[in-house]
Amino acid sequence: MLKYCSVGSGSSGNCHYVGYKDTNILIDAGLSGKKITNGLNDIDIDIKKVMGIFITHEHIDHIKGVGVLSRRYDLPIFANFKTWSAIKDKIGNIKEENILIFENDNMYEIGDIAIKPFSINHDAIDPVGFSVYSHNDEKISIATDIGHISDNIRNNLLGSKLVVLESNYDKEMLLMGSYTYALKKRVMSNIGHLSNEEAAKFSVELIKNGTEDILLAHLSRENNFPALAYETSNHILTENGIKINKDIKLNVLKRDDTSNLFKVKK
Ligand SMILES: [Zn+2]
Ligand SMILES: [Zn+2]
């Protein structure tokens, strides 16, 4: 079965672990190398057994520990060409053979899993989300830092058993909060972040298409809090006749803590 764990989620750093059989990968490494190594230890994964780091986009909360981990553990880094051009001056020297380039919307095999980067809408040079498949066709998907649910995001996320979905901000809190007008506009734009309400509405669609586990992710520190993100989703799911803990599981990923290890059964 596919396994998923979040080592941290939010604007202070993101790192996802995905495993299947003997294959272990990371998606983003936006925390310190030490924090990531310790987080993986919490779920009994040795960083030396990780086969590579897949990068969503160049923002610092997604790449902070990438260079250190690659140098220390000889880890390959996978990113698309434009993202590589945006990160190469930020992550220090990387061994030639550890620089690997993927193309969006293609499927790649690594060990026992297949992984597909898909284009998302965000204010980065060429940002992606990822779907990961096991040999049994179990599928999990990760989509954070998304301005809105585009057709491409929808198509890639539907049919995933587990989805890590951004639930970045509460609209009222954002509008009342201390951000400048320009920043508020950026966050709410089609290339900014996804609100609690948008995440909840899309979750309904996901659940109707077979998703059983929703993990709300990348919460804003200023414009959201875990109980609010949870309650917004809970409310909208309930309105749509979905019962949490009966029909599906809903969890909020913590900013600074390693999550439980989630296991996806077919
Ligand atoms: Zn981010
Ligand atoms: Zn970002």
Side-chain angles (χ1 to χ4, degrees), residues 189-227:
S189 78
N190 274 351
I191 53 166
H193 289 281
L194 205 67
S195 72
N196 291 343
E197 201 181 327
E198 289 166 312
K201 285 182 176 159
F202 184 53
S203 294
V204 173
E205 220 180 304
L206 287 171
I207 292 159
K208 287 182 176 161
N209 284 275
T211 300
E212 293 170 356
D213 252 302
I214 304 265
L215 306 181
L216 301 177
H218 208 296
L219 272 65
S220 163
R221 187 198 298 275
E222 286 77 15
N223 306 310
N224 209 354
F225 53 94

Short mmCIF file of all heavy atoms in Angstrom, two decimals, residues 189-227:
data_model
loop_
_atom_site.label_atom_id
_atom_site.label_comp_id
_atom_site.label_asym_id
_atom_site.label_seq_id
_atom_site.Cartn_x
_atom_site.Cartn_y
_atom_site.Cartn_z
N SER A 189 -5.86 35.81 -6.02
CA SER A 189 -5.89 35.72 -7.49
C SER A 189 -5.84 34.27 -7.96
O SER A 189 -5.60 33.35 -7.17
CB SER A 189 -4.70 36.48 -8.08
OG SER A 189 -3.53 35.70 -7.94
N ASN A 190 -6.01 34.09 -9.26
CA ASN A 190 -5.98 32.76 -9.86
C ASN A 190 -4.60 32.11 -9.81
O ASN A 190 -4.46 30.93 -10.11
CB ASN A 190 -6.45 32.83 -11.32
CG ASN A 190 -7.95 32.73 -11.40
OD1 ASN A 190 -8.61 32.45 -10.40
ND2 ASN A 190 -8.50 32.97 -12.58
N ILE A 191 -3.56 32.90 -9.49
CA ILE A 191 -2.23 32.30 -9.37
C ILE A 191 -1.70 32.47 -7.94
O ILE A 191 -0.50 32.47 -7.69
CB ILE A 191 -1.22 32.89 -10.39
CG1 ILE A 191 -1.20 34.42 -10.33
CG2 ILE A 191 -1.55 32.42 -11.80
CD1 ILE A 191 -0.01 35.03 -11.06
N GLY A 192 -2.62 32.62 -6.99
CA GLY A 192 -2.22 32.77 -5.59
C GLY A 192 -2.41 31.47 -4.83
O GLY A 192 -1.75 30.48 -5.13
N HIS A 193 -3.34 31.51 -3.86
CA HIS A 193 -3.56 30.34 -3.01
C HIS A 193 -5.05 29.98 -2.97
O HIS A 193 -5.90 30.79 -3.33
CB HIS A 193 -3.03 30.61 -1.60
CG HIS A 193 -1.54 30.66 -1.54
ND1 HIS A 193 -0.77 29.52 -1.51
CD2 HIS A 193 -0.67 31.71 -1.53
CE1 HIS A 193 0.52 29.88 -1.47
NE2 HIS A 193 0.61 31.19 -1.49
N LEU A 194 -5.33 28.78 -2.47
CA LEU A 194 -6.71 28.29 -2.42
C LEU A 194 -7.31 28.56 -1.03
O LEU A 194 -6.67 28.30 -0.02
CB LEU A 194 -6.72 26.79 -2.71
CG LEU A 194 -8.02 26.22 -3.28
CD1 LEU A 194 -8.27 26.76 -4.70
CD2 LEU A 194 -7.95 24.69 -3.34
N SER A 195 -8.54 29.09 -1.00
CA SER A 195 -9.19 29.40 0.28
C SER A 195 -9.80 28.14 0.89
O SER A 195 -9.98 27.12 0.22
CB SER A 195 -10.29 30.44 0.07
OG SER A 195 -11.38 29.85 -0.60
N ASN A 196 -10.15 28.24 2.17
CA ASN A 196 -10.82 27.13 2.86
C ASN A 196 -12.08 26.70 2.12
O ASN A 196 -12.35 25.52 1.95
CB ASN A 196 -11.21 27.54 4.28
CG ASN A 196 -10.00 27.74 5.18
OD1 ASN A 196 -8.90 27.28 4.86
ND2 ASN A 196 -10.20 28.42 6.30
N GLU A 197 -12.86 27.71 1.70
CA GLU A 197 -14.13 27.42 1.06
C GLU A 197 -13.93 26.73 -0.29
O GLU A 197 -14.62 25.76 -0.62
CB GLU A 197 -14.90 28.73 0.89
CG GLU A 197 -16.37 28.51 0.73
CD GLU A 197 -17.12 29.82 0.54
OE1 GLU A 197 -16.71 30.85 1.12
OE2 GLU A 197 -18.11 29.81 -0.20
N GLU A 198 -12.97 27.24 -1.06
CA GLU A 198 -12.70 26.62 -2.37
C GLU A 198 -12.23 25.18 -2.19
O GLU A 198 -12.61 24.28 -2.95
CB GLU A 198 -11.62 27.42 -3.12
CG GLU A 198 -12.08 28.78 -3.61
CD GLU A 198 -10.94 29.68 -4.05
OE1 GLU A 198 -9.93 29.82 -3.32
OE2 GLU A 198 -11.05 30.26 -5.14
N ALA A 199 -11.37 24.96 -1.18
CA ALA A 199 -10.88 23.60 -0.92
C ALA A 199 -12.04 22.68 -0.54
O ALA A 199 -12.14 21.55 -1.04
CB ALA A 199 -9.83 23.63 0.21
N ALA A 200 -12.93 23.18 0.31
CA ALA A 200 -14.05 22.36 0.78
C ALA A 200 -14.98 22.00 -0.38
O ALA A 200 -15.41 20.85 -0.51
CB ALA A 200 -14.82 23.12 1.86
N LYS A 201 -15.27 22.98 -1.24
CA LYS A 201 -16.17 22.70 -2.37
C LYS A 201 -15.56 21.68 -3.32
O LYS A 201 -16.26 20.79 -3.82
CB LYS A 201 -16.48 24.00 -3.12
CG LYS A 201 -17.46 24.87 -2.35
CD LYS A 201 -17.81 26.13 -3.11
CE LYS A 201 -18.86 26.93 -2.36
NZ LYS A 201 -18.85 28.34 -2.77
N PHE A 202 -14.27 21.80 -3.54
CA PHE A 202 -13.63 20.83 -4.43
C PHE A 202 -13.54 19.45 -3.77
O PHE A 202 -13.62 18.42 -4.44
CB PHE A 202 -12.24 21.33 -4.87
CG PHE A 202 -11.58 20.42 -5.87
CD1 PHE A 202 -12.25 20.05 -7.05
CD2 PHE A 202 -10.32 19.91 -5.64
CE1 PHE A 202 -11.65 19.20 -7.97
CE2 PHE A 202 -9.72 19.06 -6.56
CZ PHE A 202 -10.38 18.70 -7.72
N SER A 203 -13.40 19.43 -2.45
CA SER A 203 -13.37 18.14 -1.73
C SER A 203 -14.64 17.34 -1.97
O SER A 203 -14.60 16.12 -2.09
CB SER A 203 -13.19 18.36 -0.22
OG SER A 203 -11.93 18.92 0.03
N VAL A 204 -15.77 18.04 -2.05
CA VAL A 204 -17.05 17.35 -2.31
C VAL A 204 -16.94 16.59 -3.63
O VAL A 204 -17.30 15.41 -3.72
CB VAL A 204 -18.23 18.37 -2.35
CG1 VAL A 204 -19.51 17.68 -2.78
CG2 VAL A 204 -18.38 19.05 -1.00
N GLU A 205 -16.41 17.27 -4.62
CA GLU A 205 -16.25 16.65 -5.95
C GLU A 205 -15.30 15.45 -5.88
O GLU A 205 -15.55 14.39 -6.47
CB GLU A 205 -15.66 17.72 -6.87
CG GLU A 205 -16.24 17.74 -8.25
CD GLU A 205 -15.59 18.85 -9.08
OE1 GLU A 205 -15.62 20.02 -8.64
OE2 GLU A 205 -15.05 18.52 -10.15
N LEU A 206 -14.20 15.64 -5.14
CA LEU A 206 -13.22 14.55 -5.01
C LEU A 206 -13.86 13.32 -4.36
O LEU A 206 -13.69 12.19 -4.82
CB LEU A 206 -12.03 15.01 -4.14
CG LEU A 206 -11.06 15.99 -4.78
CD1 LEU A 206 -10.08 16.52 -3.73
CD2 LEU A 206 -10.28 15.33 -5.92
N ILE A 207 -14.61 13.57 -3.28
CA ILE A 207 -15.20 12.47 -2.52
C ILE A 207 -16.23 11.73 -3.37
O ILE A 207 -16.31 10.49 -3.35
CB ILE A 207 -15.81 13.01 -1.20
CG1 ILE A 207 -14.67 13.49 -0.29
CG2 ILE A 207 -16.65 11.96 -0.50
CD1 ILE A 207 -15.09 14.48 0.77
N LYS A 208 -16.97 12.47 -4.17
CA LYS A 208 -17.95 11.82 -5.07
C LYS A 208 -17.26 10.97 -6.12
O LYS A 208 -17.88 10.13 -6.76
CB LYS A 208 -18.84 12.87 -5.73
CG LYS A 208 -19.84 13.45 -4.74
CD LYS A 208 -20.78 14.45 -5.37
CE LYS A 208 -21.80 14.90 -4.33
NZ LYS A 208 -22.44 16.17 -4.70
N ASN A 209 -15.96 11.20 -6.31
CA ASN A 209 -15.19 10.42 -7.28
C ASN A 209 -14.21 9.46 -6.60
O ASN A 209 -13.21 9.06 -7.20
CB ASN A 209 -14.45 11.35 -8.23
CG ASN A 209 -15.40 11.96 -9.26
OD1 ASN A 209 -15.68 11.35 -10.29
ND2 ASN A 209 -15.93 13.13 -8.95
N GLY A 210 -14.48 9.11 -5.36
CA GLY A 210 -13.74 8.02 -4.73
C GLY A 210 -12.65 8.38 -3.74
O GLY A 210 -12.02 7.50 -3.16
N THR A 211 -12.40 9.66 -3.52
CA THR A 211 -11.38 10.03 -2.54
C THR A 211 -11.87 9.70 -1.12
O THR A 211 -13.02 9.99 -0.79
CB THR A 211 -11.01 11.53 -2.65
OG1 THR A 211 -10.51 11.76 -3.97
CG2 THR A 211 -9.97 11.93 -1.63
N GLU A 212 -11.00 9.09 -0.33
CA GLU A 212 -11.40 8.67 1.03
C GLU A 212 -10.68 9.44 2.13
O GLU A 212 -11.08 9.41 3.28
CB GLU A 212 -11.12 7.16 1.19
CG GLU A 212 -12.04 6.33 0.30
CD GLU A 212 -11.64 4.87 0.24
OE1 GLU A 212 -10.61 4.50 0.84
OE2 GLU A 212 -12.37 4.10 -0.42
N ASP A 213 -9.56 10.05 1.77
CA ASP A 213 -8.76 10.78 2.75
C ASP A 213 -8.45 12.16 2.20
O ASP A 213 -7.84 12.27 1.14
CB ASP A 213 -7.41 10.05 2.93
CG ASP A 213 -7.30 9.34 4.24
OD1 ASP A 213 -7.43 10.02 5.27
OD2 ASP A 213 -7.08 8.11 4.23
N ILE A 214 -8.89 13.20 2.92
CA ILE A 214 -8.53 14.57 2.52
C ILE A 214 -7.63 15.15 3.61
O ILE A 214 -7.98 15.15 4.79
CB ILE A 214 -9.78 15.47 2.40
CG1 ILE A 214 -10.79 14.87 1.43
CG2 ILE A 214 -9.38 16.91 2.04
CD1 ILE A 214 -10.75 15.35 0.02
N LEU A 215 -6.46 15.62 3.20
CA LEU A 215 -5.55 16.26 4.14
C LEU A 215 -5.43 17.73 3.75
O LEU A 215 -4.89 18.05 2.69
CB LEU A 215 -4.17 15.59 4.11
CG LEU A 215 -4.16 14.07 4.32
CD1 LEU A 215 -2.74 13.52 4.28
CD2 LEU A 215 -4.78 13.73 5.67
N LEU A 216 -5.95 18.60 4.59
CA LEU A 216 -5.89 20.03 4.29
C LEU A 216 -4.48 20.53 4.62
O LEU A 216 -3.93 20.23 5.67
CB LEU A 216 -6.95 20.78 5.11
CG LEU A 216 -8.39 20.32 4.86
CD1 LEU A 216 -9.36 21.07 5.78
CD2 LEU A 216 -8.78 20.52 3.40
N ALA A 217 -3.91 21.30 3.69
CA ALA A 217 -2.48 21.61 3.78
C ALA A 217 -2.18 23.07 3.52
O ALA A 217 -3.04 23.83 3.06
CB ALA A 217 -1.75 20.75 2.76
N HIS A 218 -0.94 23.44 3.81
CA HIS A 218 -0.38 24.76 3.50
C HIS A 218 -1.27 25.89 4.03
O HIS A 218 -1.61 26.84 3.33
CB HIS A 218 -0.19 24.89 1.97
CG HIS A 218 0.93 25.82 1.56
ND1 HIS A 218 0.91 27.16 1.84
CD2 HIS A 218 2.08 25.61 0.88
CE1 HIS A 218 1.99 27.74 1.34
NE2 HIS A 218 2.73 26.80 0.75
N LEU A 219 -1.66 25.79 5.32
CA LEU A 219 -2.48 26.84 5.95
C LEU A 219 -1.64 28.09 6.18
O LEU A 219 -0.48 28.01 6.58
CB LEU A 219 -3.01 26.36 7.31
CG LEU A 219 -4.34 25.61 7.31
CD1 LEU A 219 -4.26 24.27 6.56
CD2 LEU A 219 -4.82 25.38 8.74
N SER A 220 -2.25 29.24 5.94
CA SER A 220 -1.58 30.51 6.21
C SER A 220 -1.49 30.71 7.72
O SER A 220 -2.42 30.38 8.46
CB SER A 220 -2.40 31.64 5.58
OG SER A 220 -2.03 32.88 6.13
N ARG A 221 -0.37 31.27 8.17
CA ARG A 221 -0.22 31.55 9.60
C ARG A 221 -1.09 32.75 9.99
O ARG A 221 -1.70 32.76 11.06
CB ARG A 221 1.24 31.86 9.91
CG ARG A 221 1.56 32.01 11.39
CD ARG A 221 2.88 32.72 11.61
NE ARG A 221 4.00 31.98 11.07
CZ ARG A 221 4.64 31.02 11.72
NH1 ARG A 221 4.28 30.67 12.93
NH2 ARG A 221 5.68 30.41 11.16
N GLU A 222 -1.17 33.74 9.11
CA GLU A 222 -1.87 35.00 9.43
C GLU A 222 -3.37 34.90 9.19
O GLU A 222 -4.15 35.55 9.88
CB GLU A 222 -1.33 36.16 8.59
CG GLU A 222 0.04 36.66 9.00
CD GLU A 222 1.16 35.74 8.53
OE1 GLU A 222 0.90 34.87 7.65
OE2 GLU A 222 2.27 35.84 9.05
N ASN A 223 -3.77 34.15 8.17
CA ASN A 223 -5.15 34.24 7.70
C ASN A 223 -5.95 32.96 7.84
O ASN A 223 -6.92 32.73 7.10
CB ASN A 223 -5.15 34.68 6.23
CG ASN A 223 -4.37 35.96 6.03
OD1 ASN A 223 -4.58 36.93 6.75
ND2 ASN A 223 -3.44 35.95 5.10
N ASN A 224 -5.53 32.11 8.79
CA ASN A 224 -6.22 30.84 8.96
C ASN A 224 -5.79 30.21 10.28
O ASN A 224 -4.80 30.64 10.88
CB ASN A 224 -5.82 29.90 7.82
CG ASN A 224 -6.90 28.89 7.48
OD1 ASN A 224 -7.92 28.80 8.15
ND2 ASN A 224 -6.66 28.12 6.44
N PHE A 225 -6.53 29.24 10.73
CA PHE A 225 -6.05 28.37 11.81
C PHE A 225 -6.68 27.00 11.64
O PHE A 225 -7.73 26.88 10.99
CB PHE A 225 -6.26 28.97 13.21
CG PHE A 225 -7.65 29.42 13.52
CD1 PHE A 225 -8.55 28.58 14.18
CD2 PHE A 225 -8.07 30.70 13.16
CE1 PHE A 225 -9.82 29.00 14.47
CE2 PHE A 225 -9.36 31.13 13.46
CZ PHE A 225 -10.24 30.27 14.12
N PRO A 226 -6.04 25.96 12.17
CA PRO A 226 -6.47 24.59 11.85
C PRO A 226 -7.95 24.31 12.11
O PRO A 226 -8.62 23.71 11.26
CB PRO A 226 -5.56 23.72 12.73
CG PRO A 226 -4.33 24.55 12.91
CD PRO A 226 -4.81 25.97 12.97
N ALA A 227 -8.47 24.77 13.25
CA ALA A 227 -9.87 24.46 13.57
C ALA A 227 -10.82 25.13 12.58
O ALA A 227 -11.88 24.58 12.24
CB ALA A 227 -10.19 24.92 14.99
#
